[in-house]
Amino acid sequence: MLTLSQYPKVTQHRDEKGEYIQFERPYHFDINKIFDCGQTFRFEPYEGGIAGIAHGIYVHILQSENIVKIYGCNEKDYHDFFAHYLSLNRDYSEINNDIFSHFPEGIIQKAQASAHGVRILSQPLWETICSFIISQNNNIPRIKKIITSLCEAYGDKIECFDGQTRYDFPTPDKLLLCGEDGLRELKTGFRAKYLIDAAEKWQAGVFDRFDELPYDDAKKALLTVKGIGEKVANCILLFSCEMYGAFPVDVWIKRVIDKYYGGTLDLNDLGEYAGVAQQYLFYYERYINNEKDDK
DNA sequence: GGACAGGAAGTCC
DNA sequence: GGACTTCCTGTC
C-alpha cells in the first residue's frame, strides 16, 4: 500500500470567521478538482474555496499555494474523520508511477496532467450508496438537487460554525419511515424503490463489517441491492471503501475506451490503482476535452 | 415562442 | 432491447 507514515500535522487557530485547522498543502491536492470531479455531490464553490457537509460537519475549505485551511473542523474532527476522508496519507506521486506502469503510454499522461490534484475521497458508506443509486440515468446538477432536498426533508439538523442551520444525510431508518412515496415526492423517480431496498438491506445487516470484506465479496453484497449494478457498485467501492482497483465504466469511460484505446481495454491488467486512473480519464474527457459548458 | 427529441457517472425485466 | 422519473439542452 502506497501510504505515508503519517497524516500531515495540523495546527488549530481562530479568526473573525471562526475556528479552523491548517496544514501544509500536500502534493497532488487541489480542492477545486477533488470536489468537482463527480465523486461527491454535497460541496459547492464558496468564497474562494469549497463548502459542504461531510460526516455531519459543515466545513469551508480554502487552499493557497502552500497551505490548506478547514473552517468548522477542529483537531479532533481532523483525526477522527477528515484526514482519512481527504486521503491525506496517500502518496499520489507513487500512485501515479504505478498507474503509468500499467496503462499504455499516451492519453493517460495527458489525463493525469489535466486532473492533477484530484484525490479519491473516502466517503461514508451509506451516503455513497444512496448518492450513486440516485446518479443512475441522471445528470450531476439534478443529482445534487435531489440529494439536497433529501437532506432537507429527512436529515438531522446540523449547527454550523457560521451560525446557520443545515441538514445531514438521512439515516436508513429515516428513509424507511418516509417510504417510497415520500421519496418519489423528492423527484427520485423510479430510484425511490431502490433507495428503500438499500435501506432495508442496511437494516438487515448486509453491510455490517463491510470494510473487512475483500473486493469480490463487497461487490457481491452491493449487487444484492436493487438498483445497484456493476457501475454503481464500483463507484461505491472506489469513492467510499478505498478500493482503488475498482474501475467504474460509464458512458464517458466507454467513450474514452472507444476513442483512445481502439475499443478495448483489458480491465484486469490495469494495476492496483486503476480506479484512480479512471477518475483522471473521466475528468479529462468530461471536463477538459469536451467543449460544452456545464452549468 | 413552444413543441419535441435526445441525453444524463444505468439497471431491471 | 425497451422502459424508467425528471429536467435541461439544442433544434426546428
Side-chain angles (χ1 to χ4, degrees):
Chain A
M1 192 114 80
L2 304 177
T3 56
L4 306 171
S5 57
Q6 53 193 344
Y7 290 109
K9 291 263 189 301
V10 296
T11 52
Q12 198 167 314
H13 308 267
R14 172 180 286 282
D15 63 14
E16 67 282 357
K17 264 173 61 100
E19 202 167 46
Y20 66 93
I21 56 153
Q22 75 172 40
F23 53 92
E24 198 178 321
R25 183 171 168 186
Y27 171 77
H28 215 282
F29 181 95
D30 183 341
I31 55 173
N32 300 311
K33 292 178 183 173
I34 292 169
F35 290 93
D36 189 28
C37 68
Q39 61 176 325
T40 178
F41 305 101
R42 300 205 66 201
F43 284 81
E44 294 290 344
Y46 178 69
E47 289 188 357
I50 58 98
I53 295 162
H55 192 58
I57 300 171
Y58 172 74
V59 288
H60 180 202
I61 309 179
L62 293 160
Q63 69 187 16
S64 63
E65 198 179 334
N66 300 317
I67 299 287
V68 178
K69 291 183 179 184
I70 308 182
Y71 284 89
C73 173
N74 58 34
E75 283 191 68
K76 184 176 188 318
D77 299 329
Y78 173 80
H79 291 295
D80 288 352
F81 177 73
F82 280 96
H84 178 245
Y85 173 74
L86 295 168
S87 71
L88 294 177
N89 60 332
R90 299 291 180 167
D91 184 345
Y92 268 73
S93 125
E94 288 299 319
I95 288 176
N96 289 340
N97 287 339
D98 189 87
I99 289 171
F100 294 151
S101 75
H102 284 90
F103 278 70
E105 199 173 335
I107 196 65
I108 190 64
Q109 277 78 11
K110 280 175 82 171
Q112 189 281 321
S114 78
H116 191 88
V118 165
R119 274 173 190 249
I120 304 295
L121 296 169
S122 297
Q123 303 179 66
L125 180 60
W126 169 244
E127 177 174 340
T128 310
I129 288 175
C130 294
S131 299
F132 283 91
I133 286 176
I134 292 168
S135 79
Q136 69 173 264
N137 204 22
N138 220 337
N139 57 52
I140 291 175
R142 219 172 79 84
I143 298 165
K144 285 185 172 177
K145 208 183 219 172
I146 292 172
I147 291 175
T148 302
S149 52
L150 202 55
C151 294
E152 287 173 358
Y154 300 110
D156 287 335
K157 271 190 184 179
I158 298 171
E159 300 305 327
C160 305
F161 78 89
D162 61 358
Q164 301 212 42
T165 301
R166 293 178 182 79
Y167 297 89
D168 200 2
F169 195 87
T171 55
D173 50 307
K174 278 278 179 57
L175 285 198
L176 287 175
L177 276 177
C178 82
E180 190 180 327
D181 292 341
L183 292 177
R184 275 182 182 272
E185 278 171 32
L186 302 176
K187 321 283 188 192
T188 53
F190 61 88
R191 306 167 196 87
K193 56 181 180 292
Y194 301 158
L195 293 170
I196 294 294
D197 191 54
E200 283 170 352
K201 298 258 159 60
W202 185 281
Q203 299 294 57
V206 170
F207 299 106
D208 290 356
R209 303 175 68 166
F210 192 70
D211 55 347
E212 294 172 17
L213 298 179
Y215 173 80
D216 288 337
D217 294 343
K219 190 160 85 174
K220 207 175 287 176
L222 285 167
L223 291 174
T224 65
V225 177
K226 284 202 192 75
I228 297 185
E230 189 75 15
K231 189 268 173 185
V232 169
N234 277 319
C235 281
I236 295 165
L237 295 170
L238 179 59
F239 300 135
S240 174
C241 307
E242 298 181 278
M243 292 196 179
Y244 294 159
F247 195 90
V249 179
D250 68 345
V251 290
W252 293 98
I253 294 302
K254 280 197 187 104
R255 237 165 264 171
V256 165
I257 294 173
D258 283 345
K259 256 169 102 171
Y260 310 111
Y261 294 103
T264 53
L265 186 63
D266 183 4
L267 301 185
N268 295 314
D269 196 28
L270 299 178
E272 204 182 332
Y273 298 95
V276 182
Q278 181 273 3
Q279 201 57 20
Y280 297 160
L281 293 165
F282 174 80
Y283 187 88
Y284 177 74
E285 192 64 11
R286 172 76 178 79
Y287 295 100
I288 306 295
N289 206 27
N290 186 40
E291 299 298 299
K292 275 184 288 183
D293 273 355
D294 179 43
K295 259 281 162 287

